[in-house]
């Protein structure tokens, strides 16, 4: 990614930080006018962010899915847009107060640690289908993040009400619960498709890829099972208890740990011949037989 | 021009006095007309609510005799009796007072929104009778703007301040929509009727009334198009209800933890909101341990109300900041009004001098052609304008100073202008 693109993304990061400060100021210190400034900063952040992604694609001539920072950027934008749509089109109030900090952290990570994504990025350039897999899986994470947000807000509101207090800024209990449920459903859909695509890519991947022992893949399983359990209990058994919200929180925590703490692991053999993957991807020479921890 | 306010409110007068000075809506057009035509006011507006009666006026003189005389005559009152209850404000103080009123910080219930509507109605009434022109129109428009800003930029209007409305507000923290919820009212007394009324206003349509005597339950249920059940059928009703309000005279708990646990099992954990406004209590406080069950008793509701009140009180300083900001803008405009006639008078004086000089030199300039004569006039006019430019800028600036009136008076003396000349030119 060029310096210019990084600067533009950095500006949007600052705008998200500004939005987070204003909106958290609104939440904790009750400065009503800060909400307006927070929302303006957030909207400006989204616009600058989209420009940054477009700039990257324009300069490099590559799809936004060909670079990890760009992929994550797209995911952060998707998260914000879906969250804002939920707030605008439903009765869930003040969701914006919580969207901005998550967007800030989501974008901060790849910008702070670009090295972690370098090899992953080179893989994405070589295997476009891998990029689609990563993007769709991360879209699943957008749903999970919104679901986590709904669950966390539900528990905060529940705690306030149980203590006989009233918190005007938090969404109503059942609205937060609905956000958690529907977002989990959407996230689960994309996550499952993303995992399926990853498996198909693995099947056709060149050389020896240590998929079977990749911690990233292993840790995706409890996330999938956690959300599957939650959706079954809430959707099929119509259970509404607060404990179910903890299942979402734990499952999402595992997903975040997997994203942040577990490195990508590629072990690909020297191969100068052209190979045809299961998805019909033409692959060319890749690096020597080393385990790369990006 | 001066802005005047004379009136009384809940802080300065008891209700017996306030009700005597209240203006009936039907009387207001005639009152406004008489204030202008018979009592020497240029503009007027009347703000009359259950907590205040105020007359706002624009007048050439900063005297209240006219307003007082009208009040005394209209209400057939001896002013000596109500004098201690009255307050009088002029110019900046009058505008500040109106801004504080419109923002809700001068109200009995701080932050109440009704006052903004009443200020708007007072302006509309004044406009419809031709009593609101330059000053009243501007000061009321600014006040409405202050009121809107106060409510959108601060939390002065947030949170309910009565126990019954706080209960509805709490229901809104659990259920974002009330129109698809069912309320179970246990008891059929007056308090329950009031609570049901608030719930209907909040959008709730489905009611079940449970009472020891089924006839009384049926009577209340029929008013809200609901169902009536006896207390024996409470358990089933608990399963169906989302909001439960209990207020009976029963000596023991009407709703036990066991009953709630059974109901929650049937509800599959859907939230249940219970309000206990009975003393002694009708609902076992131990039900708070049940997941997704939220119980509020009188103490809880009162503490919510107290927290709301305290939150609103904490917003007063922020609202005052808005009042001060808007007051600055208003005073800038208002003070420039006093500079306007003086500036016109000065320009007129310069034009008169120019004409006089041309007339004086008429004989010696008779040989000039029309074009040359116009050129001379143009030179004189340009000279006068350039000479006056800086003083006029300074006059506008002086008008906005605290002691603007004194300084403008000095300018008036300096150029030998009197106020009647100002008025003539304005």
């Amino acid at each position: 990614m060029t310096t210019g693109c990084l600067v533009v993304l950095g500006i949007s990061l600052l705008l998200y930080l500004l939005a987070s400060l204003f909106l958290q100021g609104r939440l904790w210190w009750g400065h009503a006018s800060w909400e307006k400034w927070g929302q303006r900063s957030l909207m400006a952040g989204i616009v600058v962010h989209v420009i940054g992604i477009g700039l990257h694609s324009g300069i490099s001539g590559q799809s936004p899915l060909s670079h990890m920072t760009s992929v994550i950027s797209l995911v952060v934008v998707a998260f914000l847009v879906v969250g804002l749509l939920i707030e605008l089109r439903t009765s869930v109030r003040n969701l914006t107060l919580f969207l901005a900090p998550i967007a800030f952290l989501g974008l901060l990570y790849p910008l702070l640690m670009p090295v972690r994504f370098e090899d992953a990025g080179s893989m994405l350039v070589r295997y476009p289908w891998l990029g689609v897999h990563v993007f769709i899986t991360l879209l699943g994470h957008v749903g999970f993040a919104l679901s986590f947000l709904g669950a966390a807000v539900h528990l905060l509101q529940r705690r306030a009400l149980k203590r006989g207090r009233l918190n005007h800024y938090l969404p109503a209990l059942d609205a937060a619960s609905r956000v958690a449920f529907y977002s989990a459903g959407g996230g689960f859909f994309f996550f499952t498709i993303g995992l399926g695509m990853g498996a198909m890519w693995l099947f056709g991947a060149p050389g020896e890829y240590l998929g079977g022992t990749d911690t990233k893949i292993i840790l995706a399983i409890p996330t999938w099972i956690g959300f599957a359990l939650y959706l079954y209990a809430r959707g099929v058994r119509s259970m509404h208890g607060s404990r179910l919200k903890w299942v979402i929180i734990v499952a999402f925590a595992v997903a975040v740990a997997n994203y942040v703490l577990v490195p990508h692991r590629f072990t690909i053999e020297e191969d100068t011949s052209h190979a045809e993957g299961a998805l019909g991807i033409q692959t060319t020479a890749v690096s020597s037989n080393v385990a790369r921890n990006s | 021009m001066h802005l005047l306010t004379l009136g009384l409110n809940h802080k300065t007068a008891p209700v017996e006095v306030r009700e005597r000075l209240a203006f009936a809506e039907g009387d207001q057009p005639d009152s406004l007309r008489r204030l202008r035509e018979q009592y020497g006011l240029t503009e007027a507006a009347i703000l009359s609510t259950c907590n205040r009666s105020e007359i706002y006026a624009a007048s050439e003189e900063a005297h209240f005799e006219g307003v007082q005389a009208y009040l005394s005559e209209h209400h057939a009152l001896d002013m000596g009796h109500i004098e201690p209850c009255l307050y009088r404000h002029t110019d900046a103080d009058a505008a500040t007072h109106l801004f504080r009123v419109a923002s809700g910080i001068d109200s009995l219930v701080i932050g109440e929104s009704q006052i903004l509507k009443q200020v708007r109605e007072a302006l509309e009434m004044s406009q419809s009778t031709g009593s609101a022109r330059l000053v009243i129109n501007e000061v009321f428009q600014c006040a409405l703007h202050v009121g809107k800003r106060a409510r959108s930029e601060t939390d002065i209007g947030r949170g309910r301040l009565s126990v019954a409305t706080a209960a509805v507000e709490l229901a809104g923290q659990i259920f974002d929509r009330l129109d698809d919820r069912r309320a179970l009212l246990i008891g059929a007394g007056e308090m329950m009727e009031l609570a049901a009324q608030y719930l209907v206003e909040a959008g709730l349509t489905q009611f079940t009334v449970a009472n020891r005597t089924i006839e009384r339950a049926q009577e209340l249920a029929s008013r809200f198009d609901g169902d009536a059940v006896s207390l024996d059928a409470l358990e089933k009703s608990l399963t169906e209800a989302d909001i439960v309000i209990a207020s009976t005279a029963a000596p023991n708990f009407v709703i036990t933890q066991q009953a709630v646990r059974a109901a929650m099992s049937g509800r599959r954990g859907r939230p249940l909101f219970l309000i206990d406004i009975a003393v002694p209590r009708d609902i076992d406080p131990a039900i708070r341990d049940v997941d997704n069950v939220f119980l509020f008793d009188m103490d809880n509701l009162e503490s919510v109300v107290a927290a709301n009140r305290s939150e609103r009180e904490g917003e007063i300083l922020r609202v005052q900041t808005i009042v001060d900001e808007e007051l600055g803008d208003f005073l800038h405009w208002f003070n420039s009004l006093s500079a306007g006639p003086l500036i016109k008078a000065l320009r007129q004086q310069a034009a008169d001098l120019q004409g006089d000089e041309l007339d004086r030199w008429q004989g010696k300039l008779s040989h000039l052609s029309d074009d040359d004569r116009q050129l001379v006039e143009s030179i004189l006019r340009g000279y006068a304008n350039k000479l006056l430019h800086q003083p006029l800028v300074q006059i506008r600036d002086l008008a906005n100073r605290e002691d603007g009136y004194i300084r403008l008076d000095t300018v008036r003396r300096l150029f030998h202008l009197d106020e009647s000349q100002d008025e003539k030119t304005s």
Side-chain angles (χ1 to χ4, degrees):
Chain A
M1 202 168 245
T2 63
T3 312
C5 297
L6 287 173
V7 168
V8 175
L9 289 180
I11 291 170
S12 70
L13 186 74
L14 284 177
L15 286 166
Y16 291 150
L17 175 63
L18 203 61
S20 305
L21 294 174
F22 275 129
L23 293 169
Q24 293 305 304
R26 168 60 171 134
L27 184 63
W28 298 108
W29 293 287
H31 292 283
S33 59
W34 288 15
E35 188 172 345
K36 190 172 62 184
W37 288 108
Q39 284 167 344
R40 285 176 184 170
S41 306
L42 187 64
M43 297 311 291
I46 294 173
V47 171
V48 173
H49 199 156
V50 171
I51 291 171
I53 296 169
L55 209 60
H56 162 71
S57 294
I59 291 171
S60 66
Q62 292 172 344
S63 142
L65 302 184
S66 64
H67 193 282
M68 272 308 276
T69 306
S70 174
V71 169
I72 292 164
S73 276
L74 273 177
V75 169
V76 170
V77 170
F79 168 75
L80 287 170
V81 170
V82 175
L84 287 172
L85 282 177
I86 290 173
E87 184 169 333
L88 287 174
R89 304 299 293 269
T90 70
S91 54
V92 182
R93 58 180 180 260
N94 294 337
L95 207 57
T96 325
L97 299 181
F98 307 95
L99 291 174
I102 294 181
F104 170 73
L105 294 172
L107 186 60
L108 178 70
Y109 178 61
L111 287 181
L112 272 186
M113 310 191 71
V115 178
R116 271 195 108 107
F117 296 100
E118 270 175 12
D119 286 343
S122 67
M123 293 293 285
L124 296 187
V125 174
R126 286 199 183 93
Y127 310 113
W129 268 104
L130 183 63
V132 178
H133 148 70
V134 170
F135 182 66
I136 289 181
T137 309
L138 286 176
L139 269 189
H141 282 69
V142 169
F144 292 162
L146 285 167
S147 180
F148 162 78
L149 200 58
V153 165
H154 176 101
L155 291 173
L156 282 174
Q157 180 68 281
R158 177 183 171 276
R159 194 178 69 154
L161 289 166
K162 279 281 185 191
R163 291 178 175 185
R165 288 184 196 153
L166 202 149
N167 191 329
H168 300 291
Y169 310 115
L170 295 174
L173 205 66
D174 64 347
S177 189
R178 272 203 310 278
V179 170
F181 176 58
Y182 289 113
S183 305
F188 188 75
F189 173 76
F190 284 112
F191 192 64
T192 306
I193 290 181
L195 289 187
M197 292 185 73
M200 287 168 79
W201 177 82
L202 266 181
F203 186 67
E208 184 195 348
Y209 175 72
L210 299 177
T213 56
D214 189 339
T215 320
K216 261 204 182 317
I217 293 176
I218 292 167
L219 275 181
I221 295 168
T223 300
W224 191 90
I225 290 175
F227 277 98
L229 275 176
Y230 164 75
L231 287 169
Y232 171 75
R234 175 73 165 79
V236 181
R237 302 291 304 274
S238 300
M239 291 166 73
H240 288 77
S242 301
R243 288 184 197 91
L244 272 179
K245 304 296 181 296
W246 283 107
V247 175
I248 294 176
I249 286 171
V250 171
F252 183 69
V254 173
V256 170
N258 196 7
Y259 167 65
V260 175
L261 302 176
V262 181
H264 299 276
R265 189 175 177 204
F266 300 110
T267 301
I268 300 167
E269 284 186 339
E270 184 80 37
D271 183 5
T272 51
S273 65
H274 289 258
E276 185 92 8
L279 295 172
I281 304 162
Q282 192 90 52
T283 58
T284 54
V286 286
S287 58
S288 58
N289 185 11
V290 285
R292 291 180 174 181
N293 289 330
S294 52
Chain B
M1 185 69 78
H2 294 278
L3 177 64
L4 313 174
T5 303
L6 185 142
L8 47 75
N9 64 16
H10 57 281
K11 292 177 192 165
T12 65
V15 68
E16 303 84 53
V17 177
R18 295 205 305 272
E19 66 191 8
R20 291 192 68 186
L21 255 78
F23 288 87
E25 202 180 326
D27 293 345
Q28 289 186 18
D30 186 52
S31 297
L32 290 168
R33 186 184 55 75
R34 291 186 60 204
L35 277 166
R36 282 187 295 117
E37 292 175 2
Q38 295 174 20
Y39 293 90
L41 302 175
T42 314
E43 303 175 48
I46 295 171
L47 180 61
S48 183
T49 72
C50 53
N51 284 320
R52 67 182 68 244
S53 288
E54 292 171 341
I55 294 177
Y56 291 86
S59 165
E60 293 300 338
E61 303 293 330
H63 298 141
F64 290 90
E65 283 81 6
V67 186
Q68 272 175 221
Y70 172 74
L71 270 183
S72 173
E73 187 249 304
H74 180 76
H75 295 290
L77 287 169
D78 176 6
M79 288 305 284
H81 285 112
I82 57 165
E83 184 60 35
C85 303
L86 291 174
Y87 44 79
R88 296 172 179 80
H89 302 298
T90 51
D91 299 334
D93 291 343
T96 307
H97 177 76
L98 179 59
F99 291 0
R100 286 175 59 87
V101 168
S103 66
I105 56 176
D106 199 53
S107 296
L108 178 63
V109 177
I110 292 169
E112 53 109 357
S113 57
Q114 192 66 17
I115 188 67
L116 197 57
K117 188 169 165 261
Q118 289 160 336
V119 169
R120 184 178 292 110
E121 284 168 356
L123 173 62
E124 284 167 359
M125 175 66 78
S126 180
Q127 284 171 334
S128 69
T129 57
S131 305
R133 279 179 264 165
L134 204 59
V135 177
I136 288 292
N137 209 38
E138 183 68 18
V139 76
F140 270 73
Q141 293 289 1
C142 285
L144 291 171
H145 184 58
V146 169
K148 282 181 202 159
R149 276 192 66 192
R151 280 160 187 86
S152 66
E153 293 177 22
T154 74
D155 288 335
I156 195 76
R158 194 182 274 274
R160 307 295 176 91
L161 298 180
S162 78
V163 166
T165 52
V168 175
E169 189 179 18
L170 278 165
Q173 294 296 104
I174 296 168
F175 309 109
D176 60 336
R177 288 177 55 182
L178 293 182
D179 55 355
D180 56 349
R181 303 288 166 183
R182 176 172 281 276
L184 169 62
L185 310 177
I186 305 170
E190 270 178 35
M191 195 71 176
M192 204 52 82
E193 196 173 334
L194 186 67
Q197 191 59 50
Y198 280 121
L199 286 170
V200 167
E201 282 170 19
L204 201 118
T205 53
Q206 303 172 68
F207 287 92
T208 303
V209 182
N211 198 45
R212 193 166 48 84
T213 51
I214 189 79
E215 293 79 14
R216 183 78 189 95
Q218 282 167 339
E219 193 186 321
L220 182 60
S222 66
R223 273 185 230 166
F224 297 99
D225 203 17
D227 309 320
V229 295
S230 73
L231 284 180
D232 303 331
L234 211 53
E235 203 161 304
K236 182 174 177 290
S237 302
L238 269 179
T239 311
E240 292 167 353
D242 301 294
I243 298 165
V244 179
I245 304 178
S247 177
T248 75
N252 301 316
F253 294 138
V254 177
I255 298 177
T256 61
Q257 191 189 43
Q258 193 184 1
V260 170
R261 280 196 190 282
M264 287 308 281
S265 162
R267 299 169 62 80
R268 292 197 173 261
R270 272 187 299 124
L272 181 62
F273 175 45
L274 302 103
I275 303 164
D276 188 352
I277 46 179
V279 179
R281 288 178 293 180
D282 282 339
I283 304 174
D284 184 355
I287 70 160
R288 286 200 174 96
D289 298 336
V290 182
D291 188 29
N292 262 3
V293 171
F294 304 95
L295 169 64
F296 286 80
D297 58 24
M298 279 305 272
D299 283 354
N300 298 136
L301 290 172
E302 273 163 14
S303 68
V304 166
V305 168
N308 284 345
R309 188 173 295 122
S310 146
E311 198 174 329
R312 285 190 181 199
E313 282 166 3
E315 293 296 293
I316 290 176
L317 271 180
R318 284 184 194 164
V319 174
Q320 188 59 50
T321 309
I322 293 173
V323 168
D324 293 343
E325 281 172 22
E326 295 294 332
L327 185 69
D329 291 346
F330 172 74
L331 287 181
H332 188 77
W333 173 85
F334 184 68
N335 290 334
S336 68
L337 283 182
S338 56
L342 177 59
I343 289 169
K344 274 189 181 174
L346 263 175
R347 284 195 170 132
Q348 187 59 49
Q349 191 183 54
D352 290 347
L353 279 173
Q354 183 191 323
D356 291 349
E357 285 305 292
L358 279 171
D359 289 345
R360 195 154 72 87
W361 293 96
Q362 179 72 30
K364 297 203 172 182
L365 298 175
S366 57
H367 64 283
L368 294 179
S369 67
D370 284 352
D371 284 351
D372 289 341
R373 190 179 162 77
Q374 278 177 7
L375 180 65
V376 171
E377 282 177 18
S378 172
I379 290 168
L380 279 176
R381 201 166 40 244
Y383 174 74
N385 284 343
K386 280 185 180 164
L387 194 68
L388 281 178
H389 175 73
Q390 204 53 41
L392 295 184
V393 170
Q394 292 300 319
I395 285 171
R396 284 194 189 92
D397 183 48
L398 291 176
N400 276 304
R401 299 212 180 162
E402 205 173 325
D403 55 353
Y405 272 99
I406 299 167
R407 288 171 186 254
L408 291 187
D409 194 50
T410 309
V411 174
R412 229 173 254 121
R413 285 164 190 271
L414 205 63
F415 287 91
H416 200 61
L417 299 163
D418 57 25
E419 287 205 41
S420 60
Q421 201 171 343
D422 288 9
E423 284 153 22
K424 194 173 66 187
T425 53
S426 66

